[in-house]
């Protein structure tokens, strides 16, 4: 029986402000708060809330038959917390239906998997904690930023305990194979791989409102018919996209939500079900390993990482950023760590691309890739100076880690001893009610006594 795995990603760009060379060392705040609030509020109103309301109604109309999966970046959650908390509330309402799965992805929506395995592991673990905090779910399936994947990355994800991972069903990787099967990582056989159907996904997210597209207009019944006509043995149809496709990339005026709402109705008529990624990974055996020696993603025609690291500017910025990654693994400064998350976000490197793309790129405040590079490097210069001020370069990483561990351990010991003292005091008060009074007595005795008026000295009798 065929099943559709429908997945949406939620991430929000953190917009950097215009930062001059002369700001380095004097201004440590890097963000355009007005633009961040404006953009997330706009996306929430035009896309997230209408789309989530539609998906919730689809669950109510179809019961346990309809299922959907989401992942959220940590930086995206932070923007929603500040400017559009209603989106998180709606996601929690969806979670309560029992028909929604939340996946794990890098907290920063960054490229740490390409640079530093330890940073990548911390990024994933941090996001898992966020999912547990908001939705009470411990993700079993992961996805990397922009579905970035390679054999090495799959091995890292498996080592973190995940059972499955989403990635792109790129033709140059699959060759003659179909994306409609479950595969496994060739370096970690226990990690199942679910591959995005590029054509079916992009028909909705990229082409739905394109009047020049040969498939326009696209109707739900015709779309489901295409799925039903696939070979009988091809049972897993993975449709992955950004949630902002519903309302932003494809405007609400295109009736995109009516199309989405009709999918389960048409699918049920054809005997096609809906499943979450974990359901597929736990119930279905892999048909074979997938060999991905070179990194792939879901971006651009090449489906690789060239949109982030394709030119010398991008690589220089990337290398400079991750030159301090090992130092920040031992950092404990909340402001530094928040800036680290925001500066890692992949869009910072995307703005520097010199590639032509069939998908429009909005560079925001930047006039071009060189402008984006200059602004980012100014900010990065200030950030690295702050890191070096906290954790001097003269001290080796191991020595610094040892010193910080000693300081933290001493602080923990002092805290434990303070708690033990308070516990013993409480026990003594219960055993001897006079203990508290006797403890206060020395304080009373220590109070300064009033000085009595000085006595007049008796005058000696005068000699006669």
């Amino acid at each position: 029986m065929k099943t559709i795995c429908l997945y949406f990603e939620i991430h929000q760009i953190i917009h950097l402000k215009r930062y001059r060379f002369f700001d380095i060392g004097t201004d440590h705040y890097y963000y355009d708060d007005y633009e961040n609030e404006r953009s997330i509020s706009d996306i929430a109103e035009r896309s997230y809330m209408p789309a989530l309301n539609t998906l919730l109604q689809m669950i109510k109309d179809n019961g346990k038959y309809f299922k959907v999966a989401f992942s959220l970046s940590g930086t995206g959650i932070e923007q929603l917390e500040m400017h559009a908390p209603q989106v998180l509330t709606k996601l929690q309402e969806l979670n309560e239906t029992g028909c929604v799965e939340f996946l794990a992805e890098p907290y920063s929506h960054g490229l740490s998997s390409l640079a530093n395995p330890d940073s990548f592991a911390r990024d994933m673990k941090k996001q898992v904690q966020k999912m547990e905090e908001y939705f009470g779910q411990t993700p079993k399936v992961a996805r990397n930023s922009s579905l970035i994947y390679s054999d090495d990355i799959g091995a890292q994800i498996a080592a973190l305990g995940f059972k499955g991972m989403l990635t792109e069903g790129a033709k140059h990787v699959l060759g003659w194979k179909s994306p409609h099967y479950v595969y496994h990582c060739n370096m970690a056989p226990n990690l199942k791989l679910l591959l995005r159907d590029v054509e079916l996904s992009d028909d909705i997210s990229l082409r739905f409102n394109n009047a020049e597209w040969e498939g326009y207009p696209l109707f739900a019944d015709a779309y489901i018919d295409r799925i039903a006509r696939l070979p009988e043995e091809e049972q897993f149809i993975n449709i992955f996209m950004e949630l902002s496709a519903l309302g932003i990339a494809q405007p609400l005026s295109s009736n995109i939500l009516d199309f989405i709402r009709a999918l389960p109705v048409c699918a049920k008529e054809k005997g096609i079900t809906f499943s979450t990624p974990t359901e597929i990974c736990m119930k279905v055996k892999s048909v074979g390993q997938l060999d991905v020696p070179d990194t792939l993603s879901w971006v651009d025609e090449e489906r690789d990482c060239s949109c982030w690291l394709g030119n010398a500017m991008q690589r220089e910025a990337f290398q400079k950023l991750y030159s301090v990654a090992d130092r920040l693994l031992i950092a404990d400064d909340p402001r530094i760590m928040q800036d680290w998350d925001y500066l890692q976000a992949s869009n910072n490197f995307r703005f520097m691309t010199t590639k032509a793309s069939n998908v429009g790129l909005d560079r925001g405040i930047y006039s071009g890739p060189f402008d984006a590079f200059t602004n980012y490097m100014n900010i990065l210069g200030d950030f690295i100076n702050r890191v070096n001020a906290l954790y001097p370069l003269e001290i080796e990483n191991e020595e610094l880690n040892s010193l910080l561990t000693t300081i933290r351990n001493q602080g923990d010991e002092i805290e434990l001893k303070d708690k033990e003292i308070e516990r013993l005091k409480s026990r003594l008060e219960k055993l001897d009610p006079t203990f508290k009074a006797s403890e206060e007595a020395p304080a009373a005795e220590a109070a300064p006594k009033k000085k009595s008026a000085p006595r007049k000295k008796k005058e000696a009798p005068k000699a006669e």
Side-chain angles (χ1 to χ4, degrees):
M1 180 182 291
K2 287 182 171 57
T3 190
I4 296 172
C5 181
L6 185 61
Y7 154 81
F8 297 99
E9 188 227 2
I10 298 175
H11 167 64
Q12 176 60 27
I13 290 174
I14 307 295
H15 295 274
L16 302 178
K17 69 181 182 181
R18 180 64 67 181
Y19 195 91
R20 310 290 181 183
F21 175 80
F22 298 103
D23 293 327
I24 298 174
T26 61
D27 183 3
H28 304 317
Y29 192 77
Y30 312 135
Y31 314 108
D32 186 339
D33 290 335
Y34 172 80
E35 183 58 24
N36 284 325
E37 181 176 3
R38 186 206 64 78
S39 60
I40 190 67
S41 300
D42 180 58
I43 291 174
E45 180 181 351
R46 291 168 54 202
S47 171
Y48 291 168
M49 290 305 295
L52 293 175
N53 281 325
T54 297
L55 292 169
L56 180 60
Q57 189 59 49
M58 289 164 68
I59 292 173
K60 291 179 179 178
D61 292 343
N62 295 279
K64 298 295 182 180
Y65 168 76
F66 178 71
K67 297 172 184 178
V68 64
F70 296 94
S71 75
L72 297 86
S73 68
T75 53
I77 289 176
E78 290 183 13
Q79 290 297 296
L80 291 172
E81 287 173 335
M82 288 188 286
H83 306 305
Q86 69 273 20
V87 175
L88 293 171
T89 301
K90 185 60 64 176
L91 285 166
Q92 289 173 327
E93 188 177 350
L94 276 157
N95 181 50
E96 291 171 0
T97 65
C99 298
V100 175
E101 179 181 354
F102 289 92
L103 314 185
E105 69 167 78
Y107 190 94
S108 65
H109 197 77
L111 306 173
S112 56
S113 61
L114 305 177
N116 191 295
D118 292 331
S119 291
F120 180 55
R122 184 165 71 174
D123 226 6
M124 294 299 297
K125 290 175 183 177
K126 186 175 180 181
Q127 186 61 7
V128 167
Q129 292 174 355
K130 203 73 172 177
M131 293 298 97
E132 291 172 344
E133 173 189 333
Y134 265 100
F135 307 112
Q137 291 192 26
T138 301
K140 296 181 178 64
V141 176
R143 61 94 66 184
N144 200 359
S145 308
S146 299
L147 296 190
I148 292 173
Y149 178 80
S150 69
D151 296 333
D152 290 335
I153 292 171
Q156 292 178 53
I157 287 292
L160 293 173
F162 293 102
K163 304 301 181 186
M165 187 173 185
L166 311 187
T167 190
E168 181 77 340
K171 291 181 180 178
H172 70 275
V173 171
L174 284 171
W176 57 269
K177 297 177 182 177
S178 166
H180 304 141
Y181 294 92
V182 175
Y183 298 92
H184 66 261
C185 172
N186 72 352
M187 295 177 64
N190 291 331
L191 183 75
K192 304 284 181 61
L193 299 177
L194 303 184
L195 308 185
R196 175 177 178 262
D197 185 304
V198 177
E199 185 176 351
L200 288 170
S201 299
D202 288 352
D203 282 353
I204 298 175
S205 62
L206 297 182
R207 294 183 281 269
F208 183 81
N209 194 44
N210 182 3
E212 298 179 359
W213 171 45
E214 62 181 11
Y216 179 88
L218 181 62
F219 295 104
D221 55 353
Y223 186 83
I224 293 297
D225 281 343
R226 284 167 57 193
I227 295 174
R229 288 197 302 269
L230 290 170
E232 185 178 350
E233 62 273 14
E234 297 186 16
Q235 296 185 358
F236 307 101
I237 293 79
N238 302 312
I239 301 171
F240 306 158
M241 69 192 77
E242 296 179 356
L243 186 62
S244 60
L246 310 182
I248 302 298
Q250 309 304 321
L252 298 180
S253 59
S254 68
N255 296 319
I256 183 67
L257 294 183
D258 292 330
F259 170 85
I260 294 293
R261 189 181 294 110
L263 287 179
V265 177
C266 297
K268 189 179 292 185
E269 292 176 355
K270 297 290 183 178
I272 299 171
T273 63
F274 286 81
S275 299
T276 63
T278 294
E279 286 178 340
I280 296 174
C281 290
M282 300 303 287
K283 294 178 182 178
V284 180
K285 292 183 179 180
S286 165
V287 297
Q289 70 181 31
L290 192 69
D291 299 315
V292 190
D294 300 316
T295 310
L296 64 88
S297 76
W298 71 358
V299 179
D300 291 346
E301 289 296 326
E302 296 85 353
R303 310 290 174 184
D304 59 12
C305 295
S306 57
C307 66
W308 304 291
L309 302 174
N311 62 46
M313 293 184 299
Q314 292 170 311
R315 291 189 292 272
E316 181 181 347
F318 182 76
Q319 289 164 8
K320 187 169 183 180
L321 173 67
Y322 284 99
S323 68
V324 296
D326 289 336
R327 311 292 273 181
L328 290 172
L329 287 170
I330 53 179
D332 195 25
D333 184 290
R335 178 70 185 277
I336 286 283
M337 294 312 297
Q338 184 181 57
D339 290 339
W340 171 243
D341 287 335
Y342 291 173
L343 293 178
Q344 284 188 87
S346 62
N347 59 274
N348 293 313
F349 303 95
R350 175 78 160 151
F351 293 151
M352 302 175 200
T353 187
T354 51
K355 284 179 58 181
S357 173
N358 61 346
V359 179
L361 175 61
D362 181 5
R363 298 184 200 266
I365 63 171
Y366 305 125
S367 59
F370 305 101
D371 187 26
F373 172 73
T374 301
N375 200 68
Y376 184 78
M377 292 302 280
N378 286 341
I379 290 173
L380 192 54
D382 182 78
F383 175 73
I384 290 177
N385 287 343
R386 290 165 56 206
V387 173
N388 291 339
L390 280 175
Y391 311 106
L393 289 172
E394 296 78 26
I395 306 176
E396 295 292 334
N397 284 345
E398 290 184 5
E399 183 182 356
L400 180 59
N401 191 27
S402 177
L403 289 170
L404 291 173
T405 300
T406 300
I407 292 169
R408 290 174 189 142
N409 288 343
Q410 288 176 343
D412 292 341
E413 287 178 12
I414 292 170
E415 186 178 351
L416 286 172
K417 287 178 180 178
D418 287 341
K419 289 180 180 178
E420 182 66 13
I421 289 170
E422 291 300 320
R423 187 181 67 80
L424 292 172
K425 281 182 179 178
S426 299
R427 287 189 64 186
L428 283 170
E429 287 174 12
K430 290 178 182 178
L431 294 171
D432 184 3
T434 62
F435 170 74
K436 191 170 184 179
S438 64
E439 191 181 29
E440 293 172 353
E445 291 173 4
K449 295 180 179 179
K450 292 183 180 179
K451 293 183 180 178
S452 56
R455 294 180 181 178
K456 292 183 179 180
K457 293 182 179 178
K458 291 182 180 180
E459 296 181 1
K462 294 181 180 180
E464 292 181 359

